[in-house]
Amino acid sequence: MKSYRLIKEYFMERIWVVTAGVLCLMIVDVVQLFIPRIIKRAVDDMTAYRATRESLLEYAAYILLAALIICVLRYFWRRFLIGTSRRVEEGLRNRLFRHIQILSASYFDQTRTGDLMAHVTNDIANVRMATGMGIVAATDAVFLGTAAIGFMCHINFQLTVFALIPMPLIAFSAKYFSKRMHTRYRETQGAFADMTEVVRERYAGIRIIKSYNLEEDSRQRVEEISRRYIRENLSLVRITGAFFPMMLLFTNLSLAIVIVFGGRLAILTTISPGDFVAFINYLNLMTWPMMALGWVTNLLQRGAASLDRIDVILQTPAEIRQPRNPVSGHPARGAIQFQDVSYSYDDNREPVLSGITFTVNPGETLGIVGPPGSGKTTLLNMIPRLYDVCDGFIRIHGTDIRQWDLEELRDSISFVAQEPFLFSGTIGENIRFGNPDADDEKVMQAAKLASFDDSVKALPAGLNTIVGEKGVILSGGQKQRLALARAFIRRSKVLLLDDPVSQVDMDTGRRIIETIRLLEGQQTVIIVSHRLSALRHADQILVMESGRIKIIGTHEQLMASDDYYARTFRLQEMEEANHAF
Ligand code: ADP
């Protein structure tokens, strides 16, 4: 229950709206309870042959007035209470998203995206239900329930006691069934999501399916998952199918008791026929509060459990944070210095980087080469502090990067990741990610630097072309060049490139490398590349092996002294020469 403090502020903000909502709900309940009293008067008048046209019209007018009040106030309580639960949902979701976003890369390594999505959808939906329908059900269970019992006791206490005997059955079965219905409903939703995903994937991968003759296999997979979805649905239907008739059975059990005992009392004239009819009406009104009583405990328990899970995430601190006394200034003016840096993704495993020491002076270019898995990407990721060193120091402009203002540090770095990631939207928007204020001309200039301008011009809507699932599908090389344009448009002092020409042809690669070379002296560039010709002109080249620096030197020095480098370079040179033929 402690976690309920998370939603307190949203309630306090709308405390008057919530109070008005609960008041409307209570008035609706009271008015509902008066309808049987009007019926009683009408029946008593009729059975005593006192009813006149005027009196019947008067009763009808009362009923209509009550119905009108119920109609209007129901609208308002729904708006106020369900509306508030939607606000709680919105506030909580935004807060959770804001927090998850500041968590460090290592958190995302350990947490599955699916689990995070479940918190943002299912858990928040549970909280919404607890704060919306939870309040409604609790108010009705307590207020409508006790008031109805009060009115029934007013008619006859003994009859009320007998009539209420089956009522706990309603509450207990509502609790039992609503729990099972909820679980089944979740399973059904899960099965539906899985089915949609499988179908989506089969359409997206249709070319592979066709070329590997996997249509039959694909059909079977979809049929299997569709069968599971139907099975889950039928299981839900079995529960809902049993629940409602069972509730009716218990209500009718009460009715039977009332007919036997109430009928006797009516014959003995202890209660009037009007009381008898009113009593039956109260009995029907009691069904909902009893169901609500069973339901509300589940709603609140589920809401509390979900809030606890959300709280755990909100309490998770970001490992990489803004320092307490950040150093401000232009970090990237100075040299980047690694001193005895080691890093391990998992404390129990061998370090991925160890004893890394080098310095890149401002305006210089550092090339990094090495077999896959040797730690090149990890090394690059440490400069914008996606991961922090386990041991050693990284300094920029003489200051430990953990002391620099984090935003300033990241602002001064442009990073092109190995796998270019595009957000859904237009090409222009994707490039502008690097500099939201850039106009179209600047965007095109950046695209030109990345040799991407011809591709943009060839597209039907140019920069306004939508990319991704709903638009054009860009090739790997085009995505890579777009990611480069995104980095170029930032014009930051440090450029980190993780294998930027791996997916483009030789000529384009050469053009891109020429552009990067033009930046020499203006930007500090650290470039990882498997294509060694791209590194040839770097001021220093670092050869990595199993997380360590094997050797560091210029192209000429490495050609003379490092086997791996010289062999790979010659091999690639021959391939490039063949390609030129
Ligand atoms: P390279 O860029 O040279 O291919 P990486 O830096 O990507 O090398 O990877 C170095 C090692 O770290 C590899 O063994 C890889 O499996 C491991 N590794 C990379 N990223 C992660 C991660 N997010 N979590 C755990 N291990 C990782």
Side-chain angles (χ1 to χ4, degrees), residues 10-37:
Y10 308 114
F11 267 105
M12 293 322 278
E13 257 171 31
R14 292 171 60 91
I15 190 72
W16 293 115
V17 179
V18 176
T19 314
V22 172
L23 261 176
C24 289
L25 184 60
M26 283 174 150
I27 297 173
V28 167
D29 288 348
V30 170
V31 175
Q32 281 194 93
L33 289 165
F34 271 98
I35 292 181
R37 303 231 16 112

Side-chain angles (χ1 to χ4, degrees), residues 4 7 85-86 88-89 92-93 118-135 182-183 185-186 189 295-296 298-310:
Y4 268 107
I7 48 174
S85 74
R86 289 285 179 190
V88 171
E89 176 188 16
L92 202 58
R93 182 181 291 125
H119 291 304
V120 177
T121 50
N122 296 350
D123 281 333
I124 289 194
N126 286 346
V127 176
R128 188 195 75 223
M129 282 300 280
T131 50
M133 283 320 282
I135 291 187
H182 180 79
T183 317
Y185 182 64
R186 273 284 139 78
Q189 267 186 326
W295 190 39
V296 76
N298 285 347
L299 280 183
L300 296 182
Q301 271 170 4
R302 254 195 320 263
S306 287
L307 263 185
D308 285 343
R309 280 194 289 271
I310 292 171

Side-chain angles (χ1 to χ4, degrees), residues 105 109 345-346 349 352-353 370-379 381 387 418 498 528 530 544:
D109 289 339
Y345 284 105
D346 181 344
R349 294 214 330 246
V352 171
L353 292 177
S374 54
K376 305 179 295 295
T377 300
T378 309
L379 190 154
N381 282 338
Y387 299 96
Q418 201 167 17
D498 196 353
V528 169
H530 282 108
M544 301 276 299

Side-chain angles (χ1 to χ4, degrees), residues 240-303:
T240 45
F243 175 63
F244 292 105
M246 201 172 268
M247 292 300 110
L248 216 60
L249 180 73
F250 294 141
T251 316
N252 283 329
L253 193 61
S254 287
L255 188 61
I257 294 173
V258 170
I259 299 265
V260 174
F261 289 96
R264 220 180 100 233
L265 292 174
I267 293 166
L268 297 175
T269 64
T270 314
I271 62 171
S272 69
D275 282 333
F276 180 73
V277 175
F279 198 90
I280 290 172
N281 270 286
Y282 285 126
L283 203 59
N284 283 331
L285 275 179
M286 277 297 290
T287 315
W288 161 239
M290 283 297 130
M291 276 165 63
L293 193 65
W295 190 39
V296 76
T297 46
N298 285 347
L299 280 183
L300 296 182
Q301 271 170 4
R302 254 195 320 263

